[in-house]
Amino acid sequence: IVCNSHNAKGMWEKYHPKYKDKLSVIYNPVILPEITSKYTPKQNGKLHVVVAASYQYLKNPIGLINALALMDEEEREKIEVNWYGRAEVANGDTRAYDEAAGLIKEYNLHDVINLNEPTKDIANRMNEADVIALFSELEGLPNAICEGMMLGKPIVMTKVSDYGNLIDGSNGFLCDWNKPASIKDAL
């Protein structure tokens, strides 16, 4: 039996102990294409954050937007978030994207966060960024975080999956997915 995280393996061992010696963890491979973009730190005096995730409630665009809304004007002027992902996560279902776009308008955050379509060139968008982030409620092994780490980027992520194996004080910051103030503080 192959599991994609240590958490899944632990669950199998707990409920199916006879398989304990037959389990192994195999993570998703991460292979980056050739990087052609140039990294310039804090372009225009802003911290540039990239999120690569579909627009679904599970990935928590609403929590991120609420966190950005908690920032004062001076903090907002120092950050730019670009989220890349599919708006339609199921046939005709764009509810999370629509709600996120509405909150951006309501909180007047159009200069702070951009909701972009997916791009086949995400590795170069990540390379141009200062920080790679993911604010999910649940994850397996987050490819976007692994890709960001391969590029040597600091990471901001929620305490999901095997976060303890990925992030410590030397390479990023952790936050709670369900606490916008925690997300704000990490950013």
Side-chain angles (χ1 to χ4, degrees):
I1 297 172
V2 176
C3 301
N4 68 351
S5 77
H6 289 289
N7 294 342
K9 183 178 178 183
M11 291 296 291
W12 267 97
E13 289 174 347
K14 178 179 178 183
Y15 294 107
H16 304 286
K18 64 184 176 185
Y19 294 115
K20 182 178 181 187
D21 296 328
K22 296 180 180 184
L23 293 173
S24 61
V25 176
I26 299 176
Y27 291 110
N28 298 341
V30 176
I31 302 168
L32 290 176
E34 179 183 356
I35 303 299
T36 58
S37 63
K38 180 182 176 197
Y39 171 60
T40 304
K42 295 184 96 176
Q43 286 184 341
N44 303 320
K46 295 185 176 194
L47 180 73
H48 289 268
V49 179
V50 165
V51 178
S54 59
Y55 299 102
Q56 53 183 311
Y57 289 109
L58 172 72
K59 301 294 184 177
N60 202 21
I62 306 309
L64 170 60
I65 293 165
N66 286 324
L68 295 170
L70 292 174
M71 292 181 173
D72 62 37
E73 193 61 37
E74 186 178 323
E75 290 171 317
R76 288 184 192 178
E77 289 175 2
K78 295 178 182 176
I79 189 168
E80 181 179 321
V81 178
N82 278 287
W83 188 303
Y84 294 90
R86 286 188 334 267
E88 185 179 63
V89 294
N91 193 16
D93 183 3
T94 60
R95 289 176 292 168
Y97 176 87
D98 296 339
E99 184 176 343
L103 286 173
I104 290 169
K105 185 176 181 179
E106 178 182 335
Y107 295 141
N108 193 27
L109 295 172
H110 58 275
D111 290 335
V112 180
I113 181 169
N114 304 296
L115 304 181
N116 301 290
E117 294 181 1
T119 177
K120 292 184 180 201
D121 199 24
I122 193 66
N124 279 303
R125 299 298 73 78
M126 287 179 164
N127 187 58
E128 294 165 350
D130 297 298
V131 173
I132 306 304
L134 194 61
F135 304 99
S136 300
E137 174 183 356
L138 300 167
E139 282 290 339
L141 178 68
N143 283 359
I145 296 303
C146 294
E147 291 164 352
M149 291 173 69
M150 286 182 68
L151 290 166
K153 300 295 177 175
I155 303 297
V156 174
M157 73 177 282
T158 49
K159 298 172 188 168
V160 296
S161 177
D162 291 331
Y163 72 89
N165 295 323
L166 299 171
I167 306 302
D168 60 31
S170 69
N171 66 343
F173 301 91
L174 296 168
C175 53
D176 298 311
W177 75 270
N178 59 345
K179 296 179 181 173
S182 176
I183 295 171
K184 172 193 173 280
D185 290 345
L187 290 170

